[in-house]
Amino acid sequence: MSPSVTVLCGIVLAGSSVQRLTGMGFALVAAPALVLLLGPGPVLLTTMGALVTGAVLTVMAGVRAPALRGRRGAVAAGTVSGLMNSAAGVGGPAVSLYAVNAGWTVREFVPNAQFYGLIVNVLSIAAKGPPALTAPVWLFTGTAMGAGVLVGAMLAGRVPERRARRLVMLLALAGGLATAGKGVTAS
């Protein structure tokens, strides 16, 4: 297995583990890293990395926007998510951060995020086509995703929700900074 396939599988494993653990991991953890690995041009990398970083820092600082809750907030998050997904395949952070801002629990967030993610990704694949990966790479990443779900399921009962969310935010912050940094250095 090539180093890039190993990295891809590692990203998918980490993202799916924290997704299962907290309901918010894949979008925040894997998306910036996948854009780094597979990603678009330097301007989009910088922009998406800066958006993810800024949003994560704002939420981590405890800032909440009451206007971005409820139906209005959901529409705003969905719009931003769609734009970010179309631009660079990083649509998940906007929806995940909406859920944190709205104070959703993991129990509330997981089914909604799963449904939203399914719809967005099916539409994205229909519009852009699937990634150009070989059959073995699809097999390895599918296996990594399944392993991540199992790891997350094992950790879910052992890690308090607050600690798991903090871990997700720190990983998302690292991914946003790395994505922005790669965009800046690639310019």
Side-chain angles (χ1 to χ4, degrees):
M1 191 163 35
S2 75
S4 62
V5 172
T6 303
V7 171
L8 177 65
C9 290
I11 292 167
V12 170
L13 175 71
S16 58
S17 293
V18 292
Q19 172 72 35
R20 174 56 185 90
L21 177 64
T22 68
M24 317 192 315
F26 204 87
L28 288 170
V29 174
L34 290 171
V35 169
L36 265 178
L37 185 65
L38 306 171
V43 173
L44 285 176
L45 284 173
T46 304
T47 302
M48 294 305 130
L51 285 172
V52 169
T53 300
V56 170
L57 287 173
T58 301
V59 170
M60 286 179 76
V63 175
R64 298 297 186 264
L68 294 177
R69 293 185 178 153
R71 189 172 297 175
R72 182 182 299 160
V75 169
T79 300
V80 171
S81 173
L83 292 171
M84 290 177 72
N85 197 61
S86 298
V90 189
V95 174
S96 297
L97 292 169
Y98 163 78
V100 171
N101 181 69
W104 285 10
T105 65
V106 170
R107 179 172 269 168
E108 294 168 312
F109 181 70
V110 170
N112 289 300
Q114 299 296 337
F115 179 71
Y116 176 79
L118 176 68
I119 298 299
V120 167
N121 288 310
V122 165
L123 292 173
S124 294
I125 289 171
K128 295 182 178 183
L133 303 175
T134 64
V137 172
W138 280 109
L139 179 64
F140 288 132
T141 56
T143 301
M145 184 174 285
V149 169
L150 291 175
V151 169
M154 290 188 312
L155 293 174
R158 297 186 177 117
V159 178
E161 184 171 331
R162 183 178 170 132
R163 183 174 286 167
R165 285 183 187 258
R166 183 150 183 86
L167 173 63
V168 169
M169 291 292 151
L170 290 172
L171 290 170
L173 180 60
L177 290 170
T179 301
K182 183 173 182 183
V184 168
T185 60
S187 296

